Amino acid sequence: MIKVSSTSSVAIICNGKFHHFQQAKELQDRSRLHYIISTYPYFIAKKYGIERNKFVSMWYLEIVKRSFRILFKKEVPFKLYSIVFNYSAILHALFRKPVPYYLLQAGYCLDFLLFLKTFSKNSRTILDRGSLHTHKDYELRSLAREDAS
């Protein structure tokens, strides 16, 4: 467990919400949340009590992902989506001051992690694996759709 000092703040970068919205709320309640970047729209984060000025939405990625699923009956290729997600998050982070800690969703944030090594050398990175079912679920749904074809 990494202890965040009483003056440090954390930025959370995540695809979707998973448990990161609860983490963001806990950090916000302790005045430690700098911001959270997510693919969900703000109205969902608002249900968790996350303040508007602490939330950055990349909602357009969620639209692309869900539209692709409906139109093509399959998921956006994982590697392609991961690249687009990372570079969108990097663009958002470039316009904000670096923070001491970044909590990254493992699996989607490798390029963001590499970016941090040059952009914010003094920041510490927390990789949150969350749940392993996500990528496995993606593979299983892809297989199921191939079998149905």
Side-chain angles (χ1 to χ4, degrees):
M1 179 86 181
I2 294 176
K3 291 189 177 184
V4 178
S5 74
S6 61
T7 57
S8 296
S9 60
V10 178
I12 299 174
I13 317 296
C14 65
N15 175 52
K17 66 179 174 91
F18 298 97
H19 60 280
H20 295 106
F21 282 23
Q22 286 102 349
Q23 287 174 328
K25 176 65 171 139
E26 290 295 320
L27 288 166
Q28 177 182 277
D29 290 348
R30 290 165 177 73
S31 300
R32 302 294 172 266
L33 180 66
H34 192 65
Y35 60 85
I36 176 171
I37 297 176
S38 172
T39 58
Y40 272 34
Y42 176 67
F43 74 87
I44 302 221
K46 187 177 180 181
K47 293 177 186 178
Y48 289 82
I50 299 169
E51 296 170 10
R52 180 70 186 112
N53 64 337
K54 305 254 185 226
F55 189 78
V56 178
S57 177
M58 298 189 301
W59 57 268
Y60 46 90
L61 293 177
E62 202 64 37
I63 299 290
V64 168
K65 186 171 50 173
R66 291 174 188 228
S67 298
F68 193 92
R69 192 180 295 151
I70 291 166
L71 292 171
F72 301 106
K73 308 286 189 255
K74 61 181 180 179
E75 300 295 325
V76 176
F78 182 81
K79 288 182 181 179
L80 173 65
Y81 182 78
S82 180
I83 290 167
V84 174
F85 171 83
N86 275 277
Y87 287 99
S88 293
I90 287 168
L91 284 173
H92 283 288
L94 278 172
F95 292 101
R96 288 170 171 69
K97 73 174 192 159
V99 296
Y101 296 93
Y102 288 88
L103 191 150
L104 306 178
Q105 178 183 2
Y108 282 100
C109 294
L110 180 60
D111 291 329
F112 195 89
L113 182 60
L114 297 173
F115 159 76
L116 282 177
K117 288 183 180 262
T118 57
F119 172 68
S120 187
K121 293 180 181 178
N122 296 327
S123 295
R124 296 190 68 187
T125 306
I126 306 163
L127 274 179
D128 183 5
R129 187 170 68 181
S131 59
L132 289 175
H133 80 278
T134 318
H135 187 64
K136 192 48 107 176
D137 184 50
Y138 165 79
E139 290 174 354
L140 290 172
R141 280 189 277 156
S142 294
L143 288 172
R145 287 197 176 102
E146 286 175 15
D147 288 345
S149 305

